[in-house]
Amino acid sequence: MAAAPVAALVSAAAPLEVLQRVWGYESFRGEQADIVQTVIDGGDALVLMPTGGGKSLCYQLPALIREGTAVVVSPLIALMQDQVDALEQLGVRAAFLNSSLDLDQRRFIEQQLVAGELDLLYIAPERLQQVAPLFDRTKLSLFAIDEAHCVAQWGHDFRPEYLQLDELGRRWPEVPRIALTATATVDTRSEIVERLGLGEARQFVSSFDRPNIQYRIAPGAQARQALLKVIRDEHDGQAGIVYCLSRKSVEQTSAWLNEQGVEALPYHAGLSGEQRRRNQQRFLREEGIVVVATIAFGMGIDKPDVRFVAHLNLPKSVEGYYQETGRAGRDGAASTAWLAYGLQDVVQQRRMIDQGGGSPVRKRAQSQHLDAMLALCETVECRRVQLLRYFGQESTACGNCDTCLEPPPTFDATVAVQKLLSTIVRLARDYNQTFGAGHHIDVLLGRRTERVESRGHDQLSTFGIGRDVSEPTWRSIVRQLLASGIL
Ligand code: ADP
Ligand code: ZN
C-alpha cells in the first residue's frame, strides 16, 4: 500500500524542505536547485545532464509544489512501472499510460487525471493524441519531455512521434515545459530548441565529463582474449557490462567467459521476459556478475558499482558510446570503458546503413554518426578531449585515457598511403572487382596466398612494395583512411 499523499502537505513548502522531507536527500546536486526553481516559477527549461546526474528530480519536485498534474512524456515504456512504483513509495500519486494497459485501466487513470487525483502522469508519446483532449479539462502543473533528443532528426535516436510534441507549447502556452536529455551535441541541442519551440527556455548544461572513467580503445584483433585480460588483471570479481552487436555473439561470448571462469550472464531481446528479469536481478543483487548484452541492456538500470563497460563491437554513434560507457562508475570510483573494434565492424556498419530502410536524410545522419565514432577511435589526441568536444565542451588532456597514458607512436604515412592507394586502384582497374582490406594488405606485404596467386596479383607492380611496414600498421592505416572517409 502506498503511503498517504504528500502533495497536500508540501504545496506551500520550500523546495529544499520538500527534497528533505519527501526524498530524504540532504541537498540538491549540481544545478538541480536552479532548474527546480525555474520550473516552479513557471519558466521553461532545457536540461542537459549526464546519466545518473539526477534529472528525474528536476520535474518530480516541481510537480509536487505546483498545483495540478505534471505530464511526463517518455519513450521508455519499460521503465514507467518502476518509476511509478518508486514515486508511490514516497507517497506521491503517480500513474502511467502506455500500450501495456487494457481499456478499463486506461479509463480509470483518465478519470483520476481529470479529477485532479494525480501528481504525475507518465505517458508514451504515441498515446498523446488520444489523451490530449482531456488536458483541456485538467489542471496541469507542467510538461516534462524526457529523452528530448528523440525529437532531433539529426540525432542518433530519432522518434517520429516526438515531432508532435511542439503542440504542447502551442495549445497550453501557460503550462511550463522542461525538456531533458543526457545526450545532445550542439547541433542536436539547437534542433531540440527549434522543434519544441523552446527558444525562450533557460538552458542548463552540466559538465559531461566523467573523470573516474578511464577510456581505452583498442584494435579488434583477438578482442575476447584482450577482454579477458582486462577482466582478470584489473576487474577480477567485479561487476561489468560487455556489449555485443548480435544476440548470437552475446550467447557465444557469455558462454566463453563462463568457460574461462568469469561469472557471465547473457541479456538480449531473444530471451524470455522471465529469463531477462532473472539475469538482471542477479546482476543488481549479487557481486561480481558480468552481463553480456545487446545495447537494449542498461536503460534505467541504477547500479552504482559497475566497474567496467566493454564493447566488443564499434558503437553506432558517439552518443551511444557515451551513454553506454556512462553506466560504469556512477558511484564515482575508478572504472574502465574499454572498446575493441576492427575493420570488419566498419565495413559491416557501412553496409547496414547502405542497405537499411532509412530515408536518405536518416542515412546521411547515420553515416555521420559512424564517422564521428571512427574519428574518436582513430584519434591520437586525448580521448576525453575529443569526446567532450563532441558535446560542445572544451577541455585539456586528461591523463586518464589510453592516448594520454601511452601516446600512440605517430609517423608520416604519406608514402605508405600512396602505396596502398595505388594497389587499390590497380586491383579495381585491372580486375573490375572490389577486394577486402586483408587482400590488399597481402598484396602489399608480398604474400603468395591462394587468392593472390589464383588471381595473378603477384604480378602487380605493387606486389611486395609494402614490406617495410608491419601488418598491424597497415591495418591501422586502412582504418584511419576509412575513418577519415578517404576510402
Ligand atoms: P538520471 O535520470 O539523470 O539518469 P536519476 O534521476 O535516475 O538520474 O538519478 C540518479 C540517482 O541519483 C538516483 O538514484 C537518484 O535517487 C539520485 N539523486 C538524484 N538527486 C539527488 C540528490 N539531490 N541527492 C542525492 N541523491 C540524488
Ligand atoms: Zn586523456
Side-chain angles (χ1 to χ4, degrees):
M1 235 354 252
V6 292
L9 306 173
V10 303
S11 58
L16 183 62
E17 205 184 321
V18 177
L19 181 78
Q20 294 169 341
R21 266 167 54 191
V22 178
W23 274 269
Y25 299 150
E26 212 159 296
S27 57
F28 285 108
R29 262 197 208 158
E31 296 188 284
Q32 277 177 338
D34 268 356
I35 299 168
V36 160
Q37 197 58 54
T38 300
V39 179
I40 290 172
D41 294 342
D44 295 337
L46 172 60
V47 174
L48 276 87
M49 208 185 259
T51 307
K55 282 184 289 302
S56 328
L57 201 91
C58 298
Y59 57 82
Q60 290 172 346
L61 198 146
L64 293 191
I65 293 188
R66 284 178 64 85
E67 198 191 332
T69 305
V71 172
V72 185
V73 181
S74 167
L76 305 178
I77 292 173
L79 303 182
M80 288 183 181
Q81 181 76 60
D82 288 348
Q83 279 159 331
V84 166
D85 287 348
L87 285 167
E88 285 183 339
Q89 289 286 319
L90 300 176
V92 176
R93 302 170 303 172
F96 64 85
L97 283 175
N98 64 32
S99 51
S100 72
L101 301 183
D102 63 30
L103 191 63
D104 281 346
Q105 291 171 315
R106 208 181 83 203
R107 287 269 153 76
F108 177 67
I109 289 166
E110 289 175 358
Q111 278 166 12
Q112 284 189 307
L113 172 69
V114 179
E117 292 167 2
L118 294 174
D119 301 316
L120 285 108
L121 175 67
Y122 284 82
I123 181 166
E126 60 273 13
R127 296 276 127 182
L128 206 59
Q129 295 288 24
Q130 212 171 48
V131 184
L134 299 179
F135 294 167
D136 288 326
R137 297 196 273 137
T138 308
K139 175 79 192 157
L140 297 176
S141 59
L142 61 97
F143 289 114
I145 300 165
D146 206 3
E147 311 290 334
H149 59 276
C150 293
V151 78
Q153 205 135 18
W154 283 101
H156 69 297
D157 197 12
F158 172 61
R159 305 199 186 215
E161 316 88 72
Y162 260 62
L163 290 177
Q164 65 193 15
L165 295 182
D166 66 333
E167 192 188 327
L168 299 177
R170 279 189 279 110
R171 273 180 71 180
W172 298 279
E174 71 290 354
V175 178
R177 289 174 301 150
I178 171 169
L180 311 100
T181 173
T183 155
T185 60
V186 176
D187 289 349
T188 304
R189 206 181 306 168
S190 46
E191 202 181 333
I192 294 173
V193 168
E194 186 190 330
R195 294 211 184 265
L196 295 179
L198 286 172
E200 306 283 301
R202 258 189 83 182
Q203 295 196 12
F204 297 90
V205 183
S206 308
S207 169
F208 273 68
D209 190 16
R210 299 284 309 278
N212 60 313
I213 298 182
Q214 183 175 94
Y215 296 98
R216 280 149 51 188
I217 300 180
Q222 269 113 45
R224 268 189 204 166
Q225 285 293 344
L227 168 67
L228 184 64
K229 190 167 155 48
V230 171
I231 296 178
R232 281 193 178 148
D233 292 358
E234 303 169 47
H235 297 292
D236 197 23
Q238 297 179 336
I241 305 173
V242 177
Y243 285 110
C244 300
L245 215 51
S246 69
R247 296 175 189 181
K248 198 169 130 216
S249 61
V250 163
E251 291 289 348
Q252 289 171 345
T253 305
S254 121
W256 183 81
L257 283 174
N258 277 299
E259 281 165 27
Q260 307 303 317
V262 175
E263 190 144 25
L265 298 173
Y267 189 101
H268 58 72
L271 297 174
S272 70
E274 173 53 30
Q275 187 70 50
R276 276 192 314 228
R277 246 188 319 279
R278 207 165 343 125
N279 289 355
Q280 177 174 325
Q281 284 308 325
R282 285 194 57 194
F283 177 67
L284 291 175
R285 289 188 188 144
E286 295 175 29
E287 273 182 33
I289 301 269
V290 174
V291 163
V292 185
T294 51
I295 52 167
F297 182 77
M299 288 243 213
I301 286 188
D302 191 6
K303 182 175 171 64
D305 60 345
V306 176
R307 286 279 73 84
F308 68 94
V309 168
H311 285 87
L312 287 178
N313 296 101
L314 188 69
K316 291 188 174 65
S317 66
V318 176
E319 289 97 324
Y321 171 75
Y322 179 78
Q323 257 185 344
E324 284 142 30
T325 54
R327 291 169 190 146
R330 286 194 183 193
D331 56 5
S335 308
T336 306
W338 183 86
L339 157 69
Y341 87 105
L343 284 173
Q344 230 10 65
D345 286 337
V346 185
V347 174
Q348 189 189 359
Q349 293 211 20
R350 290 238 190 268
R351 197 181 308 132
M352 275 163 60
I353 295 170
D354 287 345
Q355 297 172 357
S359 66
V361 174
R362 277 304 292 156
K363 284 188 180 186
R364 208 152 10 102
Q366 287 168 338
S367 184
Q368 286 186 0
H369 287 299
L370 178 57
D371 290 345
M373 188 61 223
L374 279 169
L376 175 64
C377 290
E378 291 299 334
T379 188
V380 293
E381 238 196 303
C382 169
R383 305 267 186 217
R384 197 179 313 269
V385 166
Q386 184 127 333
L387 195 56
L388 292 176
R389 186 180 302 141
Y390 190 71
F391 293 109
Q393 298 178 348
E394 286 304 322
S395 60
T396 52
C398 73
N400 188 26
C401 71
D402 54 356
T403 51
C404 278
L405 294 167
E406 283 174 64
T410 54
F411 78 108
D412 183 352
T414 318
V415 177
V417 169
Q418 283 164 355
K419 289 176 182 174
L420 174 66
L421 291 178
S422 59
T423 304
I424 292 171
V425 168
R426 282 189 172 70
L427 285 183
R429 192 183 58 205
D430 297 350
Y431 297 86
N432 200 19
Q433 202 187 334
T434 52
F435 296 92
H439 185 69
H440 287 96
I441 293 172
D442 285 341
V443 170
L444 284 162
L445 291 173
R447 287 180 177 151
R448 296 184 193 280
T449 64
E450 201 191 327
R451 203 149 188 235
V452 167
E453 293 203 325
S454 69
R455 309 235 172 204
H457 291 172
D458 48 351
Q459 303 303 314
L460 289 174
S461 59
T462 57
F463 183 74
I465 59 168
R467 287 199 184 98
D468 54 330
V469 174
S470 70
E471 171 160 6
T473 306
W474 275 121
R475 292 197 162 267
S476 152
I477 291 171
V478 174
R479 280 198 314 269
Q480 292 186 41
L481 291 178
L482 280 172
S484 57
I486 292 172
L487 287 188

